[in-house]
């Protein structure tokens, strides 16, 4: 009897093990089962995908648009600098070196182009900003936030100095919420910076001319005073020599040993005799402006007159050469609606799969609970 009980117990254990193993097998789902469940609910998946796609497209139309216009600039050529070269030639004739070159003009343009102060000054005067700033005039914080949001990342310049190109060029960009606005903003800012460079160039030339003119006039006045002092001393020495000659009784010039030349030395003026000294003193006294007899001073006077007659006219130059003019962009930078639509569809599909599997798992769990409730003890 005991042996039979053991067998029955063993059989019972085996039965329970078989049931447990079968339960585990029923609970496991292979890939084919998952695909079968998903395919059976394909219309639900399509509904989730379409709904997510519609939401994604709607959001993409609500997001702010960003269009970027660009231009490429290189060192200016003679055609762009004709008026400036003519003026620089006139300055070089007068020995005025302004150190202005086509490369320095392009550098000055980019330096001003990258100036945050100039960017803000230009932006606040555009119709584009005034349109965006409607209703913000009474709120300086919102206005400043709008300015910073427009300037941050929407305007930039990039140099070719890091590339393998042997020539230098710059690419400048401006972004806006529409293609026409981007091109107009970039072209307008280039023109605005060009006018600033023209003014700076004119101020620089005027400064150099004024510096040279001031130095020339100061040197001329100093040398003029020296010549006047020399003439005054000359008159005094002649008067002293005349007194000495009269005291010595020398009326006639003292002739040299060979009798062919007069000993006329400023250290021995008495050798001219009193008659010669009187004549020379009279001639020197008749000179009202001793600078008229100084060739160097006369040349400096002419130089100063040329400087004073020099007029720095208003310059109209293009401090660069266009390799590519600002254009109206054909493609939007953001939002990328095709990418947003694709990502939304993928998210919708994944969400739909999760919903289908979860609902199927909940349904299976409820059925198992119902079976257990219907099964008698």
């Amino acid at each position: 009897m005991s042996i039979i009980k053991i067998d029955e117990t063993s059989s019972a254990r085996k039965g329970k093990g078989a049931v447990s193993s079968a339960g585990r097998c029923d609970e496991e789902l292979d890939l084919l089962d998952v695909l079968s469940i998903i395919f059976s609910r394909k219309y639900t998946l399509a509904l989730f995908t379409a709904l997510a796609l519609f939401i994604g497209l709607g959001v993409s139309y609500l997001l702010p648009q960003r269009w970027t216009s660009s231009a490429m600039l290189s060192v200016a050529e003679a055609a762009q600098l004709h008026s400036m070269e003519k003026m620089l030639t006139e300055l070089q004739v007068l020995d005025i070196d302004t150190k202005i070159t086509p490369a320095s003009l392009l550098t000055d343009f980019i330096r001003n182009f990258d100036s945050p102060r100039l960017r803000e000054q230009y932006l606040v005067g555009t119709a584009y900003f005034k349109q965006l700033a409607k209703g913000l005039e009474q709120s300086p914080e919102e206005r400043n936030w709008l300015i910073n949001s427009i300037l941050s990342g929407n305007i930039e310049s990039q140099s070719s100095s890091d590339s393998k190109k042997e020539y230098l060029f710059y690419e400048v960009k401006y972004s806006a919420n529409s293609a026409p606005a981007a091109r107009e903003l970039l072209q307008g800012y280039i023109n605005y910076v060009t006018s600033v460079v023209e003014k700076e160039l004119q101020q620089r030339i005027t400064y150099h001319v004024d510096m040279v003119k001031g130095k020339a006039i100061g040197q001329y006045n100093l040398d003029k005073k020296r010549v006047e002092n020399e003439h005054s001393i000359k008159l005094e020495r002649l008067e002293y020599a005349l007194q000495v000659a009269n005291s010595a009784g020398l009326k006639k010039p003292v002739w040299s040993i060979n009798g062919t030349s007069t000993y006329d030395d400023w250290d021995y003026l008495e050798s001219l005799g009193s008659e010669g000294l009187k004549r020379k003193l009279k001639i020197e006294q008749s000179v009202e402006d001793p600078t008229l007899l100084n060739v160097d001073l006369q040349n400096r006077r002419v130089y100063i007159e040329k400087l004073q007659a020099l007029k720095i006219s208003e310059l109209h130059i293009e401090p660069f050469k266009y390799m590519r003019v600002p254009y109206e962009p054909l493609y939007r930078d953001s939002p990328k609606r095709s990418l947003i639509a694709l990502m939304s569809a993928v998210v919708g599909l994944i969400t739909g799969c999760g919903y289908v599997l979860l609902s199927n798992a909940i349904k299976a769990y409820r059925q198992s609970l119902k079976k257990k409730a219907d099964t008698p003890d």
Side-chain angles (χ1 to χ4, degrees), residues 219-236:
Q219 190 67 43
Y220 173 80
N221 291 332
L222 181 61
D223 291 344
K224 179 181 178 182
K225 189 64 178 178
R226 289 173 179 173
V227 171
E228 291 174 349
N229 291 338
E230 290 175 359
H231 183 256
S232 178
I233 293 173
K234 184 188 292 186
L235 292 177
E236 291 182 3

Side-chain angles (χ1 to χ4, degrees), residues 3-18:
I3 295 174
I4 295 173
K5 288 182 178 179
I6 293 172
D7 291 339
E8 289 177 355
T9 305
S10 176
S11 299
R13 288 178 179 176
K14 289 181 180 180
K16 290 181 180 179

Side-chain angles (χ1 to χ4, degrees), residues 3-189:
I3 295 174
I4 295 173
K5 288 182 178 179
I6 293 172
D7 291 339
E8 289 177 355
T9 305
S10 176
S11 299
R13 288 178 179 176
K14 289 181 180 180
K16 290 181 180 179
V19 172
S20 176
S21 177
R24 284 197 301 270
C25 291
D26 291 339
E27 290 176 356
E28 293 179 357
L29 294 176
D30 58 14
L31 181 60
L32 292 177
D33 293 334
V34 172
L35 293 178
S36 176
I37 293 171
I38 292 175
F39 183 75
S40 64
R41 303 287 297 275
K42 56 182 177 295
Y43 295 110
T44 302
L45 295 180
L47 178 62
F48 271 90
T49 304
L51 182 61
L53 179 62
F54 177 77
I55 294 175
L57 287 176
V59 171
S60 69
Y61 278 97
L62 295 176
L63 292 175
Q65 298 187 27
R66 189 172 187 268
W67 301 75
T68 300
S69 177
S70 66
M72 294 182 65
L73 315 175
S74 64
V75 178
E77 296 180 349
Q80 287 85 34
L81 306 176
H82 178 70
S83 62
M84 187 192 71
E85 290 292 348
K86 182 179 179 181
M87 178 174 294
L88 293 182
T89 301
E90 295 179 0
L91 295 176
Q92 289 174 357
V93 170
L94 297 174
D95 296 328
I96 300 176
D97 185 12
T98 58
K99 303 185 185 310
I100 297 174
T101 63
S104 69
L105 288 178
L106 180 58
T107 302
D108 290 341
F109 177 86
I110 295 299
R111 173 176 54 81
N112 284 285
F113 189 94
D114 291 336
S115 170
R117 179 180 61 85
L118 290 182
R119 289 181 177 183
E120 181 175 345
Q121 288 179 356
Y122 165 74
L123 178 64
V124 296
T126 61
Y128 175 79
F129 176 78
K130 293 177 181 178
Q131 180 67 27
L132 294 177
K134 281 185 177 179
L136 301 179
E137 288 78 2
Q138 304 300 326
S139 178
E141 293 79 10
E142 293 183 4
R143 188 173 184 271
N144 292 334
W145 177 87
L146 179 61
I147 292 174
N148 293 330
S149 64
I150 295 175
L151 295 180
S152 178
N154 288 332
I155 176 171
E156 59 181 341
S157 65
Q158 185 176 359
S159 173
S160 65
S161 57
D162 296 333
S163 67
K164 297 181 180 180
K165 299 290 185 181
E166 296 182 357
Y167 57 90
L168 179 67
F169 69 88
Y170 290 90
E171 184 177 18
V172 293
K173 300 178 180 180
Y174 214 120
S175 301
N177 57 14
S178 67
R183 189 197 67 80
E184 291 176 5
L185 285 172
L186 178 59
Q187 184 64 71
Y189 189 52

Side-chain angles (χ1 to χ4, degrees), residues 202-300:
Q202 187 171 359
Q203 292 173 354
R204 188 185 309 175
I205 294 175
T206 303
Y207 171 77
H208 279 284
V209 172
D210 291 340
M211 289 287 292
V212 173
K213 188 188 302 182
K215 182 179 179 181
I217 293 176
Q219 190 67 43
Y220 173 80
N221 291 332
L222 181 61
D223 291 344
K224 179 181 178 182
K225 189 64 178 178
R226 289 173 179 173
V227 171
E228 291 174 349
N229 291 338
E230 290 175 359
H231 183 256
S232 178
I233 293 173
K234 184 188 292 186
L235 292 177
E236 291 182 3
R237 296 188 67 178
L238 285 171
E239 290 177 354
Y240 293 150
L242 179 59
Q243 293 177 8
V244 173
N246 287 331
S247 299
L250 297 175
K251 293 185 178 181
K252 300 295 182 179
V254 178
W255 301 98
S256 64
I257 297 176
N258 57 17
T260 59
S261 61
T262 302
Y263 194 95
D264 187 6
D265 190 342
W266 279 104
D267 292 330
Y268 302 97
L269 291 173
E270 299 82 3
S271 62
L272 291 175
S274 59
E275 293 181 356
L277 288 171
K278 286 180 181 180
R279 181 59 182 168
K280 190 167 186 176
L281 180 60
K282 186 176 181 180
I283 292 173
E284 291 292 342
Q285 288 175 342
S286 65
V287 178
E288 297 180 357
D289 187 0
T291 61
L292 297 176
L293 301 178
N294 189 293
V295 177
D296 184 56
L297 285 180
Q298 289 301 308
N299 290 336
R300 292 187 184 183

Side-chain angles (χ1 to χ4, degrees), residues 328-341:
E328 188 170 313
L330 300 177
Y331 301 100
R332 180 178 51 248
D333 296 338
S334 63
K336 299 291 186 181
R337 290 191 180 130
S338 57
L339 180 61
I340 292 176

